[in-house]
Each structure stands twice: as C-alpha cells, then as structure tokens.
Amino acid sequence: MINKAKMLSLVTELAKAKNEQNILATLAIYHPEIELVSPSFNAHANGSEEVELQLNVFFSLFPDYKVSIDQHAINGNVMLATGQAWVTLDIPEKDCPRIQLPVFIEFHFHEDRISKEIFYLDAGMVCKKSKVTPEELAHATLSYQAWKKHIAH
C-alpha cells in the first residue's frame, strides 16, 4: 500500500505538471489505466490515450490554468484535496477575464501512481465569472473536443 508521503508527493508533482501544461509529465504520474472524471464538464476518460486527449481539450479551454492544493485528507488509498484554480476561459470572440475558483479533487492510488482523479470545478461559476453562458461553454468544449479528435487521427 502506498504511504501518505508518496501520495502527497505525487499530487504535488501532478499540480506542477498541470501548471506547466506538461501533458507527458502528467501522464507519467498517472497509472496507465488512469480514469479522469470532471463531472461539471461532463468529461470522463479512461486510459492514457483518452486522458491525453481530454487534457489537451482542457488546456485549450484554459490555456493559462494554474492550480494549488491547500488542504488534503487521506484514508487508505484515497486522498481528498481542496485548493484554488486560476483560469482564463478561451472562447473565440470573447474577452474572458482571469478568474479564481475553488477546486475539490479526489485522487485514488494504485501501484504507487494516481489511478483515478475526479476533478470538481464549478462550471456554473466559471460561466458567471467569465461572463459567458453555459451554452457558450458547452459549445466551446465540444468544438475543442472535435478539433482535438480530428487532429489525433
């Protein structure tokens, strides 16, 4: 079983990799059978290939994404963490401000790696603070997903 210090180290490394938008470093921290879930964005990816695509979409939507982990609690192989995210939503023809939002993240660990991440970022608050409608955010998300899938093939 993974120890608490290793769990915290992995999460810290993951935050750093994501802050740098370094997808290869992020994937190296994840278990090959990683499951990445973001309920607010109706996103669910399984395995490194799908997760890589999902991260590309996310970083396209939020090209200046930064996250901090401020508090955490560990029980067995699960860590619950809270923190802050700073993002600027990139939607064509919109001038969205940089915003700060709370995040809640659930991490699961297997074989000394992160095997599941559930990322809770309030999409409604993203819309409100970014001055876009939920429909505009959904359209941008779908557009980036279609574009990334197209260039992946």
Side-chain angles (χ1 to χ4, degrees):
M1 184 159 156
I2 188 169
N3 66 48
K4 292 178 182 183
K6 177 69 174 174
M7 292 167 100
L8 188 55
S9 174
L10 286 170
V11 168
T12 301
E13 287 177 46
L14 182 68
K16 181 179 185 289
K18 285 186 174 183
N19 285 344
E20 296 169 353
Q21 297 191 9
N22 186 335
I23 293 175
L24 291 178
T26 299
L27 291 173
I29 296 164
Y30 286 146
H31 190 278
E33 296 174 12
I34 180 67
E35 180 180 5
L36 181 61
V37 181
S38 185
S40 293
F41 294 91
N42 198 28
H44 190 249
N46 286 302
S48 296
E49 191 173 306
E50 284 185 20
V51 168
E52 180 178 6
L53 178 64
Q54 197 61 46
L55 289 171
N56 272 297
V57 169
F58 185 81
F59 291 141
S60 295
L61 276 172
F62 302 108
D64 63 349
Y65 175 80
K66 298 287 184 246
V67 67
S68 69
I69 301 297
D70 302 327
Q71 297 181 343
H72 68 277
I74 297 172
N75 186 8
N77 72 333
V78 177
M79 175 190 286
L80 304 178
T82 60
Q84 297 292 315
W86 294 264
V87 297
T88 305
L89 186 56
D90 183 21
I91 295 181
E93 301 178 21
K94 292 285 183 177
D95 187 24
C96 299
R98 184 162 173 82
I99 61 173
Q100 179 179 353
L101 299 162
V103 293
F104 174 77
I105 311 168
E106 179 180 334
F107 298 100
H108 295 245
F109 299 84
H110 181 67
E111 297 176 348
D112 287 342
R113 293 168 88 182
I114 297 172
S115 59
K116 182 175 184 177
E117 177 183 350
I118 306 174
F119 180 78
Y120 297 94
L121 178 69
D122 187 333
M125 192 58 70
V126 169
C127 291
K128 182 177 179 178
K129 288 187 166 193
S130 297
K131 301 177 177 130
V132 300
T133 66
E135 292 77 19
E136 288 171 319
L137 176 60
H139 178 73
T141 302
L142 290 173
S143 295
Y144 279 123
Q145 286 173 339
W147 177 65
K148 293 295 181 180
K149 284 181 183 174
H150 175 74
I151 64 171
H153 295 322

